[in-house]
Amino acid sequence: MSPLIIVLLAAAFGFYMAWNIGANDVANAMGTSVGARSVTFRQAIIIAAIFEFSGAMLVGNHVSLTVAKGIVDPFAYSKHAMIFAYGMLATLLAAALWVNLATKLGMPVSTTHSIVGGVMGFGIVTHGLSSIEWGKVATIVASWVVSPITGGIISFFIFLFISKKILADEKPVVAAKKYAPFLAFMVSMVLVFSMLYKGLKNLHLNFTFTNALLIAAGVSVVFYAVIYKIVSNIPVDTTLPYKRRYPQVERVFAILQVITASYMAFSHGANDVANAVGPLMGAVYAAALTSHKHLEMSMWVLSIGAVGIVAGLSMYGYKVILVVGRKITDMTPSRGFAAEFGAATTVLVCSKMGLPISTTHTLVGAVIGVGLARGIGALNLKVLKDIVVSWLLTLPIAAALSAAIFMALKGLFLG
Amino acid sequence: MGIFDLFRKSPFIAIGEMMREVMECTNRIPSLYDAFVNGDYEKVQQTAKEISDHEYRTDEIKNSIRQSLPNSIFMPVARGDLLQIITSMDAIADRTEDLGVLMTFKKIAVPEELKKKIDDFVKVVLKVVELSKSVIDELETLREASFTGPEARHIVELLDKINESEHESDVFQYDLTKIVLNTEGLDCASLMLWMKIIETTGDIANAAEKMANRIRLIISQ
């Protein structure tokens, strides 16, 4: 295969993978908002398109590098660049096929696991078990446990705060209006700060810790003021019985949830676009046979991932979100806000630490956290078990698929 | 899609549905008593049949709720508490059905003094059921408010009223029992049947109170 064909194939497979991520994972990222009826299906698509894209483009490179060179060492293949390129192709195709199949079966598998499994499968068939950086794999496995727990704990405390300070208040609407700007400030603070501080690598803006903090605070004050203005227009009718006042509280949270939904989409884009483009990057570099010293993400590679996610989302994600929006009977804006805020924070922080975590895991953890804080009416633990089983299955299946595809490619083109 | 199957409908919504069906039974108690006291045997038969039909429907809802609460469902309230609420609710419908059946057994004498007080007794018992229903109606809102705050305090007030009314119905029950026992010239069958009827009517209020007390336990956790 000529390098050009490899690059084109890698771009196609990378796009296919990104398409599947958009179609599958986006339901997890946006579903809580739609389920709580804070945003409509159409609005969810628009929000997701804008923020997935900007998340991928602005902070999307940290994890990509972990996936591309963390699991197997690309330098080990420097004399066999073609082998490495085929391996990356196999990884992309295997992961995309598995995610596509899983979406069809309704199984919520992690796209991150799929890629990791694919890389491992190819690494094992070429250089044996010893070629795998098991330390890195262990870190990733650990993050599977860490991310749902972290997401769960953060969401637990956010919902506890909401229920103590707002829902349990004698005048819940007044309390909601009082705390809503503060919550908006918090969301904005976490988001803007993590974006500015060592984020935005692609824009080459290097802020110091203090500067990033100051700018984040400035932006968040604006957010505070905007939300303050919006909620102050909501009328307070203290003569209504509590039961009637309650929906007004949720209206305040519906406004906040638009922010967390955007935030969720942003961090999802930042984290998950890497799954699609990490191996694509590797394949491109191997094919170009350039120096392996700097595996930096090119803009065009990131765009393929971002466009793919948005394409998958608008073509297939619409259907998925629709199912989700009807199925969740028990999401309210206050609960959705707590779960999304917790999950998005976890995803963003972990993604900045270079840990390829899964949005699905984190959101599952966050939802359970809200449930434990007495928020959710009922959680189906059997489904939870099935989800965990599908998480465990993903690695071996993706690995086997990738190994098989790699052998086929090698047989066809290298004899 | 996978992770969203994690959510289940709140069991309190189904419980509210069941309570409405239970009320279909208890709402017929006044006309049942009326027909019985006035000796309208046919009307008694018919009303008893209606109650029995609604009781059957209550059982169906009860079973479907029980089936949807396996151990693999995590809820913000103890599973045992919910099952106890459903069982007590079922008992309200059951005892109402029993009452209807008892009244179809035999035409019996109605002591004059009993006639005067029986309406008030029925009213108090129904008040207990009515109050319990309003508590059940608030459960979903209570859950949305995480079982705390003004909504919880409001429900505790309702629960206090239930306990009060149930006590009132107990007093009536003793009163009526005394009247029946002290009525001169009452035949054995009438005596026995009246004792049964009064006891069963009182049990309806007891079951409603038992249900309310379970809800108090949930709030006080």
Side-chain angles (χ1 to χ4, degrees):
Chain A
M1 254 195 278
S2 78
L4 180 67
I5 293 176
I6 287 182
V7 171
L8 288 178
L9 268 184
F13 292 170
F15 186 83
Y16 178 40
M17 181 64 196
W19 191 90
N20 276 304
I21 294 170
N24 187 346
D25 264 15
V26 85
N28 304 337
M30 302 304 294
T32 32
S33 309
V34 179
R37 290 184 171 61
S38 296
V39 295
T40 63
F41 297 128
R42 190 178 291 272
Q43 285 165 340
I45 300 281
I46 295 168
I47 288 173
I50 295 171
F51 288 93
E52 293 268 346
F53 195 87
S54 43
M57 298 303 284
L58 298 176
V59 278
N61 61 356
H62 301 274
V63 184
S64 319
L65 299 178
T66 311
V67 170
K69 65 176 185 184
I71 305 300
V72 294
D73 180 11
F75 300 102
Y77 299 88
S78 51
K79 284 183 188 136
H80 312 279
M82 276 307 177
I83 300 258
F84 186 70
Y86 288 175
M88 291 293 111
L89 286 182
T91 298
L92 278 175
L93 191 58
L97 285 172
W98 168 238
V99 175
N100 202 340
L101 177 73
T103 308
K104 275 231 150 64
L105 296 175
M107 272 164 77
V109 296
S110 161
T111 48
T112 315
H113 293 211
S114 310
I115 287 286
V116 170
V119 174
M120 285 173 69
F122 141 74
I124 289 168
V125 288
T126 52
H127 282 73
L129 287 167
S130 60
S131 69
I132 306 292
E133 292 266 355
W134 291 105
K136 288 271 188 192
V137 176
T139 317
I140 290 167
V141 170
S143 83
W144 298 342
V145 181
V146 170
S147 51
I149 290 176
T150 315
I153 291 172
I154 296 177
S155 300
F156 176 88
F157 283 109
I158 293 168
F159 192 75
L160 211 63
F161 173 83
I162 290 170
S163 74
K164 282 248 156 67
K165 291 286 176 193
I166 298 171
L167 303 180
D169 196 274
E170 210 56 61
K171 291 171 183 154
V173 187
V174 179
K177 286 167 76 164
K178 186 170 127 202
Y179 288 108
F182 168 71
L183 288 169
F185 181 86
M186 289 274 293
V187 174
S188 158
M189 216 36 212
V190 178
L191 172 63
V192 179
F193 175 72
S194 55
M195 208 159 64
L196 294 179
Y197 185 61
K198 288 187 179 171
L200 299 179
K201 271 202 177 139
N202 307 341
L203 300 183
H204 304 290
L205 297 168
N206 287 312
F207 292 105
T208 62
F209 182 85
T210 328
N211 279 352
L213 203 64
L214 285 176
I215 296 172
V219 174
S220 304
V221 167
V222 175
F223 249 105
Y224 181 95
V226 170
I227 294 296
Y228 184 86
K229 184 87 188 93
I230 294 174
V231 294
S232 66
N233 289 332
I234 294 174
V236 179
D237 187 352
T238 46
T239 57
L240 287 172
Y242 186 87
K243 206 177 171 177
R244 291 273 157 69
R245 272 184 267 158
Y246 192 78
Q248 284 192 296
V249 178
E250 293 297 351
R251 260 177 71 195
V252 177
F253 279 104
I255 296 165
L256 283 177
Q257 218 192 2
V258 175
I259 304 177
T260 47
S262 316
Y263 181 21
M264 190 78 203
F266 185 88
S267 52
H268 179 256
N271 191 56
D272 275 20
V273 73
N275 298 332
V277 297
L280 164 55
M281 202 63 219
V284 169
Y285 271 85
L289 293 169
T290 51
S291 156
H292 292 301
K293 276 177 189 126
H294 296 288
L295 261 175
E296 255 184 47
M297 206 54 76
S298 322
M299 261 340 217
W300 73 267
V301 169
L302 273 176
S303 349
I304 284 183
V307 172
I309 282 185
V310 175
L313 154 65
S314 47
M315 287 161 73
Y316 205 57
Y318 190 84
K319 192 175 131 192
V320 174
I321 287 185
L322 205 74
V323 173
V324 164
R326 288 209 187 113
K327 265 199 174 171
I328 306 177
T329 47
D330 224 45
M331 255 298 158
T332 62
S334 59
R335 275 168 242 153
F337 171 80
E340 280 175 8
F341 187 21
T345 305
T346 312
V347 171
L348 203 62
V349 169
C350 289
S351 129
K352 286 184 68 62
M353 288 162 64
L355 294 175
I357 69 151
S358 153
T359 317
T360 315
H361 295 193
T362 315
L363 201 61
V364 167
V367 164
I368 292 169
V370 174
L372 287 174
R374 283 189 149 183
I376 309 257
L379 279 178
N380 198 340
L381 297 182
K382 192 187 165 295
V383 171
L384 186 68
K385 200 187 89 195
D386 289 349
I387 289 175
V388 172
V389 168
S390 75
W391 290 353
L392 295 177
L393 279 177
T394 298
L395 266 191
I397 291 180
L401 258 179
S402 155
I405 295 171
F406 173 75
M407 294 310 271
L409 281 175
K410 205 179 134 199
L412 279 172
F413 297 102
L414 293 178
Chain B
M1 271 311 294
I3 108 158
F4 294 100
D5 290 330
L6 263 180
F7 303 102
R8 293 285 288 248
K9 206 168 104 181
S10 166
F12 294 130
I13 294 167
I15 287 177
E17 210 176 294
M18 184 174 166
M19 190 66 208
R20 274 192 291 281
E21 205 56 49
V22 170
M23 292 288 284
E24 287 287 337
C25 301
T26 54
N27 282 341
R28 286 175 167 75
I29 294 176
S31 56
L32 184 72
Y33 257 102
D34 202 46
F36 185 66
V37 169
N38 293 319
D40 188 348
Y41 198 65
E42 232 165 75
K43 179 95 186 291
V44 170
Q45 286 275 14
Q46 190 207 331
T47 314
K49 169 81 171 59
E50 282 169 21
I51 291 174
S52 174
D53 287 348
H54 284 290
E55 196 277 337
Y56 182 73
R57 190 60 203 116
T58 311
D59 273 347
E60 281 181 342
I61 302 178
K62 175 190 73 182
N63 289 333
S64 85
I65 296 176
R66 281 188 178 158
Q67 266 166 26
S68 66
L69 295 180
N71 274 328
S72 57
I73 301 290
F74 167 78
M75 291 168 298
V77 289
R79 196 167 160 266
D81 284 340
L82 280 190
L83 291 175
Q84 190 65 59
I85 288 174
I86 294 163
T87 305
S88 302
M89 236 154 77
D90 189 43
I92 300 175
D94 270 350
R95 301 312 275 161
T96 310
E97 189 189 27
D98 290 348
L99 187 67
V101 173
L102 282 174
M103 289 182 176
T104 60
F105 283 163
K106 196 174 193 295
K107 262 188 188 171
I108 53 170
V110 185
E112 272 311 308
E113 214 182 331
L114 198 66
K115 237 181 194 171
K116 276 181 265 169
K117 290 206 167 174
I118 212 146
D119 272 357
D120 289 335
F121 178 45
V122 171
K123 257 182 211 149
V124 173
V125 169
L126 286 181
K127 191 180 168 200
V128 179
V129 178
E130 196 86 44
L131 285 168
S132 311
K133 184 192 183 277
S134 53
V135 171
I136 293 284
D137 284 345
E138 299 273 338
L139 273 183
E140 183 55 21
T141 316
L142 180 68
R143 186 186 63 72
E144 283 176 1
S146 306
F147 300 93
T148 47
E151 179 66 5
R153 281 193 288 280
H154 169 57
I155 288 192
V156 169
E157 278 168 29
L158 276 175
L159 294 175
D160 289 342
K161 274 190 209 158
I162 290 173
N163 295 143
E164 241 170 69
S165 300
E166 200 279 334
H167 176 69
E168 223 180 303
S169 92
D170 278 348
V171 173
F172 264 111
Q173 194 180 332
Y174 306 143
D175 227 20
L176 294 185
T177 311
K178 213 163 138 191
I179 292 171
V180 172
L181 287 173
N182 289 308
T183 304
E184 296 293 328
L186 203 62
D187 60 297
C188 259
S190 298
L191 180 83
M192 270 197 67
L193 203 52
W194 270 121
M195 294 289 287
K196 270 270 183 206
I197 287 172
I198 292 165
E199 193 193 336
T200 307
T201 310
D203 281 351
I204 295 170
N206 284 338
E209 190 196 29
K210 203 172 165 194
M211 183 184 83
N213 284 339
R214 269 292 156 166
I215 292 167
R216 195 190 286 274
L217 273 183
I218 293 175
I219 295 174
S220 65
Q221 265 167 20

